[in-house]
Amino acid sequence: MQIKIDDPSALGPIVRACRKAQKMRQDDAADSIGVSENFLGKVEKGSDAVQWGKLFQVLHGLGIHVILDMPEDDTTE
């Protein structure tokens, strides 16, 4: 499934839904991913002040893949 993400507040609920779909409590998920429960909570709340490396660690740990849709470059012709 592809979902358009415009800002951190749109990403948070998706992370939370993926965790819950895996029937994981927040503390257990944080432990298995290797981040603090506080950090995972910030991600799930859509905080715009999270570290990119840890954010991608959370996404990877929950099986969420980031795919960018880049505009076509018209200057190559």
Side-chain angles (χ1 to χ4, degrees):
M1 170 189 317
Q2 292 183 351
I3 301 169
K4 184 176 180 179
I5 302 296
D6 296 309
D7 55 51
S9 65
L11 183 59
I14 294 166
V15 170
R16 179 179 162 92
C18 285
R19 174 182 59 78
K20 287 189 161 275
Q22 295 175 38
K23 298 184 183 341
M24 296 179 75
R25 293 185 341 201
Q26 194 176 57
D27 59 338
D28 291 334
D31 284 344
S32 71
I33 293 168
V35 299
S36 70
E37 184 178 355
N38 182 46
F39 181 81
L40 183 55
K42 286 181 181 179
V43 170
E44 291 187 0
K45 290 177 185 168
S47 173
D48 60 356
V50 296
Q51 296 174 2
W52 282 86
K54 284 186 174 184
L55 172 61
F56 277 89
Q57 185 177 343
V58 168
L59 297 176
H60 178 75
L62 293 173
I64 301 170
H65 305 280
V66 176
I67 299 172
L68 301 176
D69 185 13
M70 302 290 292
E72 296 287 330
D73 183 7
D74 294 331
T75 61
T76 59
E77 294 180 23

